[in-house]
């Protein structure tokens, strides 16, 4: 962060120039003092570009006299400086006109009376020393608008970095962004504390401390302003009031007195789903006045880190559950298929030797179990994924799907104008298989099914209709939920249809029209009619 580091005297009086130089040295001493510069009124009046006006732009404070400020051009230049650059006017005489001149120059304060004959300490010091400490010193440790603009750019870069983070990069990129923010904001430390799972202790998971820091585990009450953090508010401990003239002069260096002060800190809560998951601490050893804009930017940074950590935790949890699901699917494949294959083999041996009324129910049960296993495996292993997209004949896929449905008494009518659609043909076939089996389950083994083209507000598509009892209105909203069924089945088939449709970017809906009608909308321009 760029700190304005110079007190600038504007004027032509050599005695006043010496007085300002001496006052700067007395106020701050040698270590940590701002630079001192002098600018003649002619140079200020004749300045025409930003480079020539740089002495004012870089100043942490400006001192001038009523004699110099009486020149209209000088007064205009001084009045145009940012509010963060205070102007102190030394009044030649205490008159109404002198005060008016100071006001025209945008004065933040005035100093009256001549300087002492010689540099002396304590309460008899030059009153200009006190004005510098009271007016200029707070602005030297305050965040400026240019500082905010630069830090905002850093946060934008940090946001882009964190949002594109892979799980194996989270720790590295959070460390990098914390360091980047700390350096640009001229902080001494940034520590990210995360609440230990199920506990009240906060662990310093990430820390940037170039000069070293205490990274011990903390209880919540140890944070400054913990009562504010508990209600998701920021806790700010700013700089102490400016040193008195007596203290500054007696010490000869205001920074020495500041060493005894506790660090200037901003603590922002890390909140995820209305739960306090951590605390982000920003610390500065030097005297600092935190502005609202600066604190808001730190809160934004805290939100970025909280979101990144939460997103990664969800990703890891999803990966863990996926691995568990894959393990489950392997168990299903191995432990259920083996005995099912044995049962299917014995059924083939007895086919023709037992009455059809006995054989067919057993055959349907085996087929049903095979279907359930296939659906469970597909749901576990593929989820929402689709493979390579290609221009696919809808009618050909539907007819192929019907061949796998064991319903000899059911009929399927396929319209001639189904056209083609860009799809994963394997997944589209699975969707049709499940829709056909759903119709058989709910409308009976002799169901008549029709598949035809449709055109609607959501684009071209197909409908799959049956002549069964239809869908009860009170279950329509739950029909595609995994595990939901009105026919005593697993409730997985239509959930798979919904996932396949969603993976293609399509839509599926259901209504009744002499039976259940499922409508799949491919979207505008995705289906191609036959020529």
């Amino acid at each position: 962060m760029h700190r304005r580091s110079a007190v600038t005297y504007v004027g032509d009086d050599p005695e006043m120039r010496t007085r300002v130089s001496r006052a700067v040295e007395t106020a701050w001493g040698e270590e940590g003092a701002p630079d001192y510069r002098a600018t003649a009124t002619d140079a200020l009046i004749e300045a025409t570009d930003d480079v020539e006006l740089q002495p004012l732009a870089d100043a942490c404070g400006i001192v001038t006299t009523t004699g110099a400020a009486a020149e209209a051009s000088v007064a205009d230049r001084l009045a145009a400086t940012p509010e963060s650059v205070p102007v102190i006017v030394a009044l030649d005489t205490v008159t109404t006109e002198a005060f008016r001149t100071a006001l025209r120059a945008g004065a933040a304060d005035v100093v009256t009376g001549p300087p002492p004959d010689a540099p002396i300490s304590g309460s008899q010091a030059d009153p200009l020393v006190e004005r510098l400490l009271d007016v200029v010193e707070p602005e030297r440790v305050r965040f400026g608008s240019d500082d905010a603009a630069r830090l905002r750019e850093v946060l934008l870069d940090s946001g882009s970095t964190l949002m594109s983070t892979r799980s194996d990069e989270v720790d590295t990129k959070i460390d990098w962004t914390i360091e980047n923010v700390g350096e640009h904001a001229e902080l001494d430390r940034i520590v990210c504390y995360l609440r230990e799972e199920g506990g009240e202790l906060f662990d310093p998971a990430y820390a940037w401390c170039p000069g070293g820091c205490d990274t011990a585990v903390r209880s919540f009450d140890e944070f400054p302003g913990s009562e504010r953090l508990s209600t998701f508010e920021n806790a700010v401990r700013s700089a102490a009031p400016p040193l008195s003239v007596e203290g500054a002069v007696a010490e000869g260096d205001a920074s020495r007195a500041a060493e005894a002060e506790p660090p200037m800190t901003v603590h922002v809560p890390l909140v995820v789903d209305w739960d306090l998951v951590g605390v982000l601490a920003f610390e500065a050893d030097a005297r600092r006045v935190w502005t609202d804009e600066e604190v808001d930017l730190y809160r934004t940074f805290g939100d970025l880190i909280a979101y990144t950590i939460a997103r990664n935790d969800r990703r890891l949890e999803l990966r863990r559950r996926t691995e568990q699901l894959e393990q489950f699917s392997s168990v299903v494949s191995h432990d259920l298929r083996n005995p099912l294959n044995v049962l299917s083999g014995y059924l083939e041996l007895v086919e023709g030797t037992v009455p059809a009324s006995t054989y067919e129910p057993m055959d349907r049960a085996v087929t049903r179990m095979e279907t359930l296993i296939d659906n469970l495996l597909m749901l576990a292993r593929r989820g929402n994924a689709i493979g390579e997209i290609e221009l696919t004949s809808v009618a050909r896929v539907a007819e192929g799907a019907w061949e796998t449905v064991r319903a000899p008494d059911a009929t399927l009518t396929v319209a001639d104008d189904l056209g083609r659609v860009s799809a994963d043909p394997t997944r589209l076939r699975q969707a049709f298989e499940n829709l056909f089996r759903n119709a058989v389950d709910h409308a009976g083994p002799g169901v008549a099914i029709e598949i035809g083209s449709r055109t609607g507000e959501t684009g071209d598509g197909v409908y799959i209709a049956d002549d069964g009892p239809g869908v009860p209105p009170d279950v329509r909203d739950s029909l595609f939920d995994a595990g939901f069924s009105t026919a005593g089945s697993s409730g997985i088939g239509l959930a798979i249809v919904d996932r396949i449709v969603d993976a293609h970017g399509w839509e599926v809906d259901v209504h009744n029209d002499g039976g259940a009608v499922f409508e799949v909308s491919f979207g505008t321009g995705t289906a191609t009619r036959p020529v």
Side-chain angles (χ1 to χ4, degrees), residues 434-489:
N434 282 283
L435 287 170
F436 296 156
R437 287 171 183 151
N438 177 77
V440 173
D441 289 341
H442 289 79
V447 63
I449 304 173
E450 178 184 350
I451 177 170
S453 63
R454 63 169 297 279
T455 301
E457 295 180 358
T458 55
D460 294 338
V462 297
Y463 67 84
I464 299 92
D466 62 55
D467 60 355
V471 179
D474 57 333
V475 304
R476 191 171 300 168
D477 292 339
S478 305
L479 203 60
F480 295 99
D481 294 344
F484 181 84
S485 175
T486 60
S489 62

Side-chain angles (χ1 to χ4, degrees), residues 168-243:
D168 59 345
E169 299 176 328
V170 168
D171 291 344
T172 300
K173 288 194 174 181
I174 289 181
D175 284 334
W176 179 83
T177 54
I178 286 178
E179 178 182 355
N180 202 21
V181 170
E183 290 177 346
H184 278 80
E186 285 189 2
L187 299 168
D188 292 290
R189 288 168 295 281
I190 300 179
V191 183
C192 178
Y193 296 87
L194 298 182
R195 185 196 292 267
E196 294 182 351
E197 186 174 356
E200 292 301 318
L201 296 179
F202 288 75
D203 181 58
Y206 306 97
W208 172 75
C209 308
C213 63
D214 178 15
T215 54
V217 175
R218 288 190 180 188
S219 67
F220 185 65
D221 293 337
E222 291 182 71
F223 291 109
S226 57
E227 66 283 351
R228 292 181 60 84
L229 293 172
S230 66
T231 57
F232 305 156
E233 297 178 88
N234 305 322
V236 179
R237 182 168 64 193
S238 197
L243 296 173

Side-chain angles (χ1 to χ4, degrees), residues 27-29 31 133 137 243 247-248 251-259 287:
W28 286 284
E31 185 178 348
L133 288 173
E137 175 62 14
L243 296 173
E251 290 290 339
D253 184 359
S255 64
R256 263 183 256 164
E259 290 177 0
R287 296 184 64 250

Side-chain angles (χ1 to χ4, degrees), residues 195 229-233 270-277 299 314:
R195 185 196 292 267
L229 293 172
S230 66
T231 57
F232 305 156
E233 297 178 88
L270 303 182
V271 182
V272 176
D273 296 332
W274 294 98
D275 184 30
L276 182 68
V277 299
R299 180 62 180 261
R314 286 192 290 267

Side-chain angles (χ1 to χ4, degrees), residues 282-303:
F282 304 85
E283 296 185 2
D285 292 331
R287 296 184 64 250
R288 189 79 167 252
V289 176
W290 309 105
T291 66
D292 291 342
E293 186 174 20
E294 183 178 10
V295 173
D296 288 344
L297 289 171
Y298 294 150
R299 180 62 180 261
T300 298
F301 185 47
D303 291 342

